[in-house]
Amino acid sequence: MNFGQNLQQHRKDKGLSQEALANQLFVTRQSVSQWENDRTMPSVDLLLKLSDIFGTTVDALLGKPETESIPQPISSVNILTKKKDIRAAMRSVRNPAATVLISVALLLGFLCGMMLFFKYNIYNTRYALEHSTWDFIYRYGIAALLCLLVGITLMVIGIILTKKAAGFGTNHPCSLRFFYDHLEIEEENAEPLSLFYANIRSITETDAYFILKMQNKSRLCVDKREVESVEELSKLLKSTPHYRDRRLCKTHQTGGKRLVILRIARDFLFVSAFFTLPASPIIFGWLNTFITENQPLRVFLFLLPILWAAAVAAAGIVLVIRHVKALRLIIAGGTAIIVCAVFSFIINNANVLYDLQNERITSESFTDYMEAHGMTVDNTIKGREELYITSCLTAHPENNAFSIILMEFDEFTQEKGLFSALETFGDLKNKICSTPRRTTRYTSQDFSFNTFYTETTGDRIAYVSLNEYTVIYFEVPIEKEAQLRELLKDWELQLPY
């Protein structure tokens, strides 16, 4: 049938007259008559309106035969069937949380070991066991152990899933045909199975493979190098609801152990950026047991967290330039630098924000406490008036085995009293630090006018603190440590005991 006959038949089927149809199209009745007699043809706009009125296609109105269109696949590919190839494919999709957790465990274990050495002489195992309260093991060791166990568990699960995928791929070789709206699985001696992409549990894309996790938890691995139109297929799979992008490189597809090692290193650097701040003072304290006078090394150790965070950020920049997904390294390193800088600023300038020792120790409270614990307190201010000291008290036991000195400075002389307190604290601290010896324990904290430094060597314990305008100082033989701990255990001043 030609166009005129088709138009007349559709008009009669709808029960429309030529005039009624003309009114709907905003044309004259004569125009409709000429169309039905094949004298003229309507415009494209009118053809579209006619197809809408009659509920048919323009091709059907024009009398063109309808041909059945057979959809063509985007790509056809065989799944991997060799166990070696499937293991290589699954290596990139094993749970990345395992790497992160094991990294956390290693860093927590490192902190635990360093802090144990820091507080207790790790070379003297008997001493460490006798004096350790297991605080660090509870705080860091157990957390590290849990992270390690969970990480190893996830790693074992990944190995088991890899073995299952290798077994399934070996025993069920098949080919995949990717269409725009569905996927066909063709297995030998079986009918093709059609699945919509929404019915696939997950579709993971790595640098060299596509991995499809089916509803029965089996995994089909496809090598990208064998896929036709890989870019088009990648765009199609990205639009599916369960797509996961595990590619490490942005522009090129490569596989192998190199990328796996690079991914693990990236995750470790990411985690380590957040451990720079707590690790730095521990490393500083540990190395200070061997180094007491090397000022450049002390400055380097103080800057170590910022240097490490900068190294993490620099590694991220290099990897991003090389088209590797490592933007989070830049963010983590930059964040760690900001945190370290802010923390350093607070320590050095914002003593108002944090009062380390809570309340200032006065001469009256010092005297009352020492006398209540069987100590003799003497006034030893003679000869010290030029240092703006308002009082200087020395507490000692009856046998004079050791002494604890408290000095109060005149806070009404504006800067002079404070300057003298700072200078005295610095002199005493330098006296402790500059004596050549091997330090076994070291603790230091500086919150502006709330500061303490304590050091233990093989033969003595030394301590100096500054609390606003009050300096406390003592040096005690190591054999008197137990007596000193017993004396100071009830003292409200926050000491590192």
Side-chain angles (χ1 to χ4, degrees):
M1 297 176 67
N2 56 24
F3 172 71
Q5 293 172 334
N6 280 331
L7 178 59
Q8 187 177 20
Q9 184 64 42
H10 281 94
R11 178 177 61 78
K12 289 180 179 181
D13 291 341
K14 281 284 186 178
L16 297 173
S17 64
Q18 288 183 347
E19 188 173 357
L21 179 60
N23 290 335
Q24 291 188 33
L25 298 174
F26 300 101
V27 296
T28 64
R29 186 189 64 79
Q30 287 78 9
S31 296
V32 174
S33 177
Q34 289 179 357
W35 295 343
E36 290 182 353
N37 292 322
D38 292 321
R39 294 176 183 172
T40 60
M41 288 290 294
S43 64
V44 175
D45 292 339
L46 292 175
L47 281 172
L48 292 173
K49 288 182 180 180
L50 286 169
S51 65
D52 290 338
I53 292 172
F54 299 135
T56 185
T57 63
V58 174
D59 286 344
L61 280 174
L62 294 174
K64 291 185 178 180
E66 295 186 4
T67 57
E68 183 179 355
S69 61
I70 301 175
Q72 297 297 318
I74 299 173
S75 181
S76 299
V77 64
N78 294 323
I79 67 168
L80 298 177
T81 55
K82 294 182 179 179
K83 292 184 178 180
K84 181 179 179 181
D85 296 335
I86 295 174
R87 290 194 193 101
M90 292 292 294
R91 192 183 294 126
S92 299
V93 296
R94 287 180 183 170
N95 199 325
T99 302
V100 174
L101 287 170
I102 292 175
S103 301
V104 171
L106 292 174
L107 291 168
L108 284 173
F110 165 76
L111 286 177
C112 181
M114 295 295 289
M115 293 183 77
L116 282 171
F117 179 89
F118 179 44
K119 189 170 183 180
Y120 313 107
N121 184 3
I122 204 167
Y123 295 118
N124 189 340
T125 308
R126 181 179 177 183
Y127 179 88
L129 292 176
E130 289 176 354
H131 293 80
S132 174
T133 60
W134 298 94
D135 290 342
F136 297 126
I137 296 178
Y138 285 138
R139 195 174 304 167
Y140 295 101
I142 292 179
L145 183 61
L146 289 176
C147 290
L148 185 62
L149 290 176
V150 176
I152 292 175
T153 302
L154 292 175
M155 185 179 294
V156 171
I157 291 173
I159 294 173
I160 293 173
L161 293 178
T162 300
K163 287 186 175 180
K164 287 186 176 180
F168 184 88
T170 302
N171 298 322
H172 299 82
C174 60
S175 61
L176 306 178
R177 300 177 69 201
F178 296 94
F179 296 85
Y180 282 103
D181 58 347
H182 71 284
L183 168 72
E184 284 188 0
I185 303 175
E186 296 183 353
E187 191 173 354
E188 189 176 355
N189 300 325
E191 290 292 328
L193 175 64
S194 295
L195 288 175
F196 289 106
Y197 291 112
N199 294 329
I200 299 176
R201 198 161 187 173
S202 69
I203 300 174
T204 303
E205 181 180 0
T206 68
D207 294 280
Y209 304 95
F210 291 115
I211 301 172
L212 284 69
K213 182 180 180 182
M214 313 308 289
Q215 291 296 341
N216 60 358
K217 296 185 180 180
S218 60
R219 287 166 173 80
L220 308 179
C221 302
V222 174
D223 193 335
K224 283 185 176 182
R225 290 169 293 187
E226 299 179 4
V227 175
E228 300 174 2
S229 306
V230 64
E231 296 293 338
E232 187 177 358
L233 180 58
S234 179
K235 291 179 182 179
L236 170 65
L237 296 179
K238 281 182 182 179
S239 63
T240 60
H242 304 299
Y243 173 83
R244 296 178 182 176
D245 190 354
R246 291 283 178 83
R247 293 176 300 166
L248 186 63
C249 298
K250 297 178 181 179
T251 57
H252 57 280
Q253 290 83 29
T254 56
K257 295 181 180 179
R258 176 177 170 272
L259 283 182
V260 176
I261 295 172
L262 183 60
R263 181 179 283 106
I264 293 173
R266 182 197 63 177
D267 292 340
F268 180 81
L269 288 175
F270 174 73
V271 173
S272 67
F274 298 100
F275 283 84
T276 55
L277 194 61
S280 177
I282 298 172
I283 297 173
F284 181 86
W286 177 62
L287 291 180
N288 193 66
T289 62
F290 306 101
I291 303 165
T292 56
E293 297 178 346
N294 193 327
Q295 188 63 26
L297 185 56
R298 286 173 176 266
V299 173
F300 169 76
L301 293 174
F302 179 76
L303 296 176
L304 186 61
I306 296 179
L307 294 175
W308 181 256
V312 172
I317 293 173
V318 171
L319 291 176
V320 168
I321 292 174
R322 295 178 65 86
H323 306 291
V324 175
K325 291 182 177 179
L327 182 61
R328 59 182 182 175
L329 290 186
I330 302 174
I331 298 174
T335 302
I337 291 174
I338 294 172
V339 171
C340 291
V342 171
F343 189 74
S344 299
F345 176 82
I346 292 174
I347 289 177
N348 295 317
N349 300 285
N351 63 297
V352 178
L353 299 178
Y354 187 85
D355 185 3
L356 181 68
Q357 297 180 351
N358 296 330
E359 296 180 1
R360 176 179 173 182
I361 303 299
T362 64
S363 57
E364 291 79 9
S365 61
F366 178 83
T367 300
D368 293 342
Y369 181 89
M370 292 299 172
E371 290 180 348
H373 287 73
M375 300 282 285
T376 301
V377 181
D378 297 327
N379 187 351
T380 54
I381 193 173
K382 185 176 181 180
R384 299 178 183 269
E385 293 83 354
E386 71 281 0
L387 298 177
Y388 299 96
I389 298 178
T390 58
S391 65
C392 182
L393 304 176
T394 302
H396 55 82
E398 293 182 358
N399 59 1
N400 290 320
F402 60 88
S403 61
I404 300 176
I405 300 172
L406 177 137
M407 290 173 279
E408 280 191 305
F409 292 81
D410 187 359
E411 59 185 288
F412 300 105
T413 56
Q414 297 179 355
E415 295 296 331
K416 293 182 180 179
L418 175 60
F419 177 80
S420 295
L422 289 168
E423 187 177 40
T424 302
F425 171 80
D427 290 343
L428 293 172
K429 181 179 177 180
N430 290 334
K431 175 185 175 183
I432 297 172
C433 295
S434 61
T435 305
R437 64 193 173 280
R438 179 171 179 174
T439 304
T440 58
R441 280 187 289 169
Y442 157 94
T443 303
S444 179
Q445 191 60 271
D446 182 5
F447 284 95
S448 191
F449 306 140
N450 295 281
T451 302
F452 71 82
Y453 177 90
T454 183
E455 190 173 277
T456 302
T457 65
D459 60 350
R460 66 173 184 169
I461 299 173
Y463 175 83
V464 58
S465 81
L466 170 64
N467 178 231
E468 294 182 338
Y469 292 83
T470 304
V471 174
I472 303 169
Y473 170 76
F474 60 78
E475 289 192 60
V476 179
I478 193 68
E479 59 269 15
K480 301 296 181 181
E481 180 182 8
Q483 183 180 353
L484 180 68
R485 287 179 179 271
E486 182 66 24
L487 171 65
L488 298 178
K489 69 178 183 179
D490 299 325
W491 203 358
E492 293 181 357
L493 178 64
Q494 294 185 10
L495 291 172
Y497 293 104

